[in-house]
Amino acid sequence: MKKRLGIDIDGTVTCPSTFIPYLNQSFQKNLTLNDITQYNLAPLYDTTEEEMDRWMEKYEAMIYECAPLAEHALEVINSWKNKYELFYISARGRHLYDLTERWFQINGIHYHHIELIGSHDKIEAVKTYHISAFFEDKYDNACDIAEECNIPVILFDTPYNQGPLPKQVIRVKDWLEAKQHIERLL
């Protein structure tokens, strides 16, 4: 039986700076990815979490539809299509499933399953689907999944996910480095 990889979508398969130009335009800022030093964007854009949630509801579908791929994601992920089962587990809401699947098809990204859980708590899905390794950009998710599920987690390095890492979390700069680690680990 093939091992199953769990892969987050936003900031992992998609470029981590995807939302920044849209946020900058809406909130009249000029931030870059290097300025995004925390996952909670509201304080960085001088707004409330409620306002940020309303903004996301208004713009998320349009942004997800045209989100650019992270560098090397396509070639690495598609090189695994016959070697591993590729399960995408995302905090996106379930109402975005058709849009998400269409984005995968348009971009030519191979998948075996897409699970939109509508929450950042991915531990139950990781356990349910017997994931062997996970790919993530959110710091606390990476740490929690590694510790709770006892699997390796590849954490894509960004300014917003810094901190000490448990032994099973491996920080990488890109998909090429992620591939090297996974092929060594699995």
Side-chain angles (χ1 to χ4, degrees):
M1 188 168 135
K2 292 180 187 174
K3 294 198 182 231
R4 194 171 278 170
L5 302 180
I7 307 169
D8 172 54
I9 299 172
D10 299 303
T12 303
V13 177
T14 67
C15 182
S17 62
T18 296
F19 279 82
I20 296 171
Y22 302 97
L23 287 161
N24 283 344
Q25 183 176 5
S26 292
F27 293 97
Q28 290 82 50
K29 293 280 186 182
N30 196 22
L31 301 179
T32 67
L33 182 59
N34 287 333
D35 298 316
I36 309 299
T37 56
Q38 62 186 51
Y39 200 81
N40 179 2
L41 297 172
L44 299 172
Y45 282 96
D46 299 322
T47 191
T48 64
E49 289 188 39
E50 295 75 23
E51 180 60 31
M52 190 60 72
D53 289 344
R54 283 192 293 278
W55 184 90
M56 278 294 289
E57 283 178 31
K58 182 175 180 180
Y59 292 106
E60 68 181 345
M62 182 262 305
I63 295 169
Y64 289 149
E65 258 184 323
C66 54
L69 284 160
E71 189 176 16
H72 306 294
L74 181 65
E75 67 190 77
V76 170
I77 290 168
N78 285 352
S79 77
W80 289 335
K81 69 183 178 186
N82 297 317
K83 187 172 186 175
Y84 304 109
E85 287 188 347
L86 305 172
F87 275 52
Y88 297 85
I89 300 171
S90 171
R92 289 182 183 188
R94 290 177 183 90
H95 66 286
L96 296 164
Y97 184 86
D98 290 343
L99 176 151
T100 301
E101 186 177 46
R102 194 168 46 252
W103 182 87
F104 271 80
Q105 292 166 349
I106 288 168
N107 285 283
I109 304 166
H110 194 79
Y111 62 93
H112 293 95
H113 181 76
I114 298 171
E115 186 79 14
L116 305 183
I117 60 175
S119 156
H120 285 291
D121 185 2
K122 299 175 182 174
I123 291 170
E124 186 179 325
V126 169
K127 289 179 177 180
T128 298
Y129 293 115
H130 307 287
I131 301 298
S132 297
F134 201 83
F135 299 80
E136 181 65 75
D137 72 310
K138 191 169 188 290
Y139 173 79
D140 55 338
N141 279 2
C143 297
D144 293 347
I145 291 167
E147 291 178 333
E148 182 75 22
C149 302
N150 197 29
I151 62 170
V153 176
I154 303 296
L155 179 65
F156 287 88
D157 189 40
T158 68
Y160 59 80
N161 67 18
Q162 300 303 299
L165 300 175
K167 141 178 111 96
Q168 286 187 278
V169 177
I170 301 158
R171 187 179 292 280
V172 299
K173 69 181 183 321
D174 62 25
W175 276 96
L176 296 177
E177 190 178 346
K179 182 178 184 178
Q180 292 173 345
H181 284 287
I182 284 301
E183 307 216 336
R184 184 178 48 79
L185 291 166
L186 301 182

